[in-house]
Amino acid sequence: MPPAAQTSHWSTTPPAWAGVPRRSHGVNDTANADRALADLRSATDQLLGNAGSLADREVREPSLLPGWTRGHVLTHLARNAEGGTRLLTWARTGLPGYEYESLEARAAAIEAGSGRPARTLVADVRRTAAAFAEAATDMPPE
């Protein structure tokens, strides 16, 4: 692992080894923001379509992430969308709202939600993704 990978945050842009595409325009570019939101909506629709076909027994099967079931992954996506919504609200209003209360609380929430029925997991992702999309759309252009 490169030495920079051992740090938890990047100072400005991710290093090349992180595989994150670098864009020539900043995030404040409205066209890029609109394109990113459209890409996110498309990916979310695809995810919800795929997840919506899962049965209860299938969400309890292992995912490709060691130690996590598909239920863990879906719960993680929902809690991450909530955290992202809190961060966007903070950015828009100036009122602090952290992504997670703590890493321990994050892990506990994922574990607690992972065993829910498939329909409930998918509804949670759908609800929180919609709230995130709304918060992102509400962001001012600057």
Side-chain angles (χ1 to χ4, degrees):
M1 177 181 299
Q6 297 171 8
T7 62
S8 61
H9 296 83
W10 298 309
S11 59
T12 54
T13 57
W17 57 260
V20 177
R22 295 177 186 205
R23 301 190 182 216
S24 59
H25 300 286
V27 180
N28 293 335
D29 182 304
T30 302
N32 279 338
D34 290 345
R35 194 168 30 258
L37 286 174
D39 289 348
L40 180 61
R41 283 187 190 98
S42 176
T44 300
D45 289 345
Q46 184 177 3
L47 167 74
L48 290 170
N50 292 336
S53 68
L54 295 173
D56 288 344
R57 69 171 175 71
E58 292 173 306
V59 296
R60 287 169 182 67
E61 292 176 358
S63 73
L64 296 177
L65 296 171
W68 274 24
T69 64
R70 291 170 174 167
H72 284 93
V73 173
L74 291 169
T75 301
H76 164 67
L77 291 172
R79 300 296 69 79
N80 189 259
E82 286 177 337
T85 300
R86 284 190 292 273
L87 291 176
L88 288 173
T89 301
W90 182 0
R92 191 180 71 253
T93 66
L95 299 172
Y98 297 93
E99 186 172 18
Y100 301 106
E101 181 181 318
S102 67
L103 290 178
E104 294 79 14
R106 172 190 172 271
I110 292 169
E111 191 60 40
S114 66
R116 296 174 294 167
R119 184 179 303 197
T120 304
L121 289 162
V122 173
D124 191 17
V125 174
R126 181 175 284 111
R127 177 186 59 77
T128 57
F132 178 84
E134 182 179 340
T137 302
D138 289 347
M139 291 299 293
E142 65 277 346

